[in-house]
Amino acid sequence: MTRPLVAVRSAVKLFGSYQALKDVSLDVHAGQVLCLVGASGSGKTTLLRCINQLVQLDSGGIWLDGELLGMRQHGGKLHRLSEAEIIRQRLKTGMVFQRFNLFPHKTALENVIEGPVQVQGRKPAEARTAAMELLHRVGLEEKAGSYPSQLSGGQQQRVAIARALSMRPKLMLFDEPTSALDPVLVGEVLAVMKELAREGMTMIVVTHELAFAREVADMVVYMDGGRIVEAGLPDQVLGAPQEARTRAFLSAVLG
């Protein structure tokens, strides 16, 4: 078996006395789509934020592309990386949040160009060409000159996806990317994500869209109380769950 692109081992995260992650371990291989499902507060978003180093683990470790995130081993001890080193590691991931977090004073095109030019130092002309290709990829080429306030929620989220892709990440993280959208706009964002999956982008997706998870995921993980309760193929976890807590969650969600 090839080395996983993402390896989470015995991850623990505390917020004061509250334990948000309890000994979480999982693997995601290149080209796979992992969907994290579970009720609010189950630890899904915390896990995503630890992978993107927005939150630091209290114990355990996360490896991305074979590199331990956030820490370096030296003299038999682990030392926290500098902020510059953490930023370098974070460039391997693109993250799409519930809220779109676009720069309101910049056009769709300018939002997508910002990271490659300012962070990666790419030439503006090159970044512009790549950005237009990405906007075309998410179906928004004609909206390149529009500001976020002139776009629907679904369009803003598709710009946010293009912006994340502009950094050429190895891994895409999605934190409930459709939860802030009107139901009629959900489909256009999920369609872009399905296309990314078909193209082989490695993705970890926190979602309540169980039909999407069943269709696109290579593996589904159900979390509850900061732990992985059940993990497996979509048809297994969503169609024939073995754990009572998984069955109760699906019954509540599906009615």
Side-chain angles (χ1 to χ4, degrees):
M1 194 70 171
T2 57
R3 182 184 71 191
L5 181 67
V6 183
V8 180
R9 296 291 180 268
S10 303
V12 171
K13 179 58 195 174
L14 300 168
F15 294 104
S17 61
Y18 175 68
Q19 193 166 350
L21 294 178
K22 303 173 182 176
D23 196 30
V24 171
S25 296
L26 58 82
D27 289 343
V28 183
H29 289 266
Q32 284 190 326
V33 178
L34 168 68
C35 282
L36 298 170
V37 302
S40 296
S42 59
K44 310 180 303 296
T45 292
T46 298
L47 177 57
L48 225 60
R49 292 173 70 85
C50 287
I51 294 170
N52 203 37
Q53 300 195 71
L54 297 172
V55 172
Q56 184 180 350
L57 287 179
D58 289 290
S59 66
I62 300 173
W63 285 259
L64 176 59
D65 202 21
E67 184 179 11
L68 178 62
L69 297 182
M71 307 294 289
R72 180 197 302 106
Q73 196 155 21
H74 182 70
K77 294 184 178 180
L78 288 174
H79 301 270
R80 181 80 175 152
L81 294 182
S82 69
E83 191 60 32
E85 291 170 309
I86 289 172
I87 289 171
R88 175 189 60 78
Q89 288 186 333
R90 194 181 287 138
L91 291 177
K92 293 183 178 181
T93 65
M95 189 157 179
V96 178
F97 300 86
Q98 296 177 31
R99 295 291 171 182
F100 323 122
N101 296 335
L102 298 176
F103 296 115
H105 61 289
K106 293 182 180 292
T107 64
L109 179 63
E110 289 167 342
N111 266 280
V112 178
I113 288 174
E114 182 78 7
V117 173
Q118 298 299 327
V119 179
Q120 295 180 326
R122 281 151 62 184
K123 295 178 180 178
E126 174 202 332
R128 179 186 176 87
T129 299
M132 288 301 294
E133 290 174 357
L134 285 169
L135 288 173
H136 173 73
R137 191 171 169 186
V138 300
L140 289 174
E141 192 173 15
E142 78 285 358
K143 297 291 187 180
S146 299
Y147 291 90
S149 62
Q150 298 171 314
L151 302 174
S152 70
Q155 289 170 334
Q156 289 184 61
Q157 193 62 297
R158 283 187 281 156
V159 172
I161 293 172
R163 180 180 61 182
L165 290 170
S166 73
M167 305 298 283
R168 298 172 179 167
K170 290 179 176 286
L171 171 69
M172 284 288 286
L173 306 172
F174 293 87
D175 184 15
E176 296 188 29
T178 60
S179 65
L181 301 178
D182 291 335
V184 295
L185 301 176
V186 168
E188 63 189 55
V189 174
L190 294 181
V192 171
M193 295 172 65
K194 289 175 185 177
E195 185 60 30
L196 288 177
R198 282 191 289 270
E199 293 171 359
M201 172 60 73
T202 311
M203 308 195 310
I204 302 177
V205 184
V206 172
T207 184
H208 292 299
E209 302 287 343
L210 299 186
F212 169 83
R214 188 186 286 267
E215 178 183 350
V216 176
D218 296 289
M219 182 168 67
V220 173
V221 168
Y222 169 64
M223 295 185 68
D224 184 50
R227 297 186 188 276
I228 292 178
V229 174
E230 191 161 356
L233 298 173
D235 285 346
Q236 173 197 324
V237 176
L238 301 178
Q242 302 299 301
E243 300 292 331
R245 279 186 286 175
T246 315
R247 292 195 293 272
F249 167 75
L250 292 174
S251 177
V253 171
L254 300 175

